Amino acid sequence: MKKTMVGAVALSAALVLGCATPAFAEVSASGDTAFDQAAGAATGDQTTVVQLEATTTQINATVPVTVVVSAKIEGGKMITPSAGAYKIVNNSTAGSLYVTSAAGTLVAGEWSDAASTDAAADTAAPRPESDTAKYGSVVVTLTSGALGEADADTGVVELGTTTNEPITLAGLAKTDIKAESPWVIEKATVVDGVTKGTELGLKLAARGSALADLTTASDAVKLMDIVYTVTMVNPNAATA
């Protein structure tokens, strides 16, 4: 099996193997107020730079920097991490977190979008005509939702019965989170003084073409970036 990396999250500094979980940056703004007036003038234009500091609605969430999937040399369905291992956690007790976008970008020149929207099939994904990607083509989908119970035998945790509509990160037709239906992660809870983050499981499904220029002895190679856009402001909240 060949390992292929799906990496990088918004605001991450570097890609590393493993599942280190960086926190999203706090919401903040900075600047100075400047006043300028022409010499001798009785009036003048003035500009004030308004500073904003987040207080109770700072984003406090984590998501793995790097995940690894395994692909068959001959192509077909890939092995991906469990939803219990790949997840976004809202650690803030101030409010819910809204994921409004999850965009995938393949490494240019090395991978291409497969001529398919089916990430679950176990056959090799078709490469587009005149495709020149170095390694091959892939179709990748992402489903999110609340986590289910751990498997009694393996301990693996996958998504429960309630999930959000899947989106397509790579493949014939890419889709994103619908504006009217952002992924919602409820605020963290506090029990006996201990904060417990609320988890949103992420389940990748991926299927690839036969791999070129890669063998089981090759080092892992980067496949794509997935950038999540998050906010603590409900994008569909009614305004006065």
Side-chain angles (χ1 to χ4, degrees):
M1 301 290 283
K2 169 67 197 148
K3 291 184 176 180
T4 308
M5 291 192 294
V6 180
V9 206
L11 307 179
S12 65
L15 287 173
V16 294
L17 286 173
C19 285
T21 53
F24 284 99
E26 294 181 348
V27 178
S28 63
S30 62
D32 295 321
T33 301
F35 295 91
D36 293 309
Q37 187 173 352
T43 61
D45 294 331
Q46 299 177 340
T47 300
T48 299
V49 178
V50 180
Q51 296 178 305
L52 182 149
E53 293 183 356
T55 54
T56 60
T57 56
Q58 292 177 337
I59 293 175
N60 182 2
T62 56
V63 64
V65 169
T66 302
V67 295
V68 179
V69 300
S70 295
K72 302 172 185 176
I73 295 294
E74 65 273 21
K77 186 177 180 180
M78 300 181 186
I79 299 174
T80 61
S82 68
Y86 186 36
K87 58 194 174 186
I88 298 176
V89 183
N90 183 4
N91 299 305
S92 174
T93 58
S96 298
L97 189 68
Y98 300 88
V99 185
T100 58
S101 176
T105 304
L106 295 169
V107 178
E110 297 188 354
W111 301 96
S112 64
D113 293 296
S116 172
T117 56
D118 185 357
D122 201 26
T123 56
R127 296 186 70 158
E129 293 183 11
S130 304
D131 181 52
T132 59
K134 179 179 180 180
Y135 296 130
S137 299
V138 294
V139 52
V140 181
T141 62
L142 177 64
T143 306
S144 70
L147 295 172
E149 298 294 328
D151 184 273
D153 297 321
T154 65
V156 172
V157 178
E158 292 291 3
L159 296 178
T161 56
T162 303
T163 62
N164 293 303
E165 184 175 345
I167 63 173
T168 303
L169 301 174
L172 184 63
K174 294 184 180 180
T175 58
D176 202 348
I177 300 170
K178 292 183 178 180
E180 67 274 16
S181 304
W183 297 347
V184 183
I185 314 174
E186 300 297 334
K187 67 181 181 180
T189 57
V190 179
V191 179
D192 297 330
V194 178
T195 300
K196 178 177 175 56
T198 302
E199 300 173 334
L200 178 74
L202 303 171
K203 184 59 182 178
L204 289 166
R207 172 187 173 212
S209 65
L211 299 177
D213 292 334
L214 289 173
T215 70
T216 55
S218 302
D219 292 332
V221 296
K222 183 178 176 181
L223 173 63
M224 70 189 305
D225 291 334
I226 305 174
V227 179
Y228 298 93
T229 302
V230 298
T231 178
M232 291 196 75
V233 179
N234 186 343
N236 295 314
T239 57

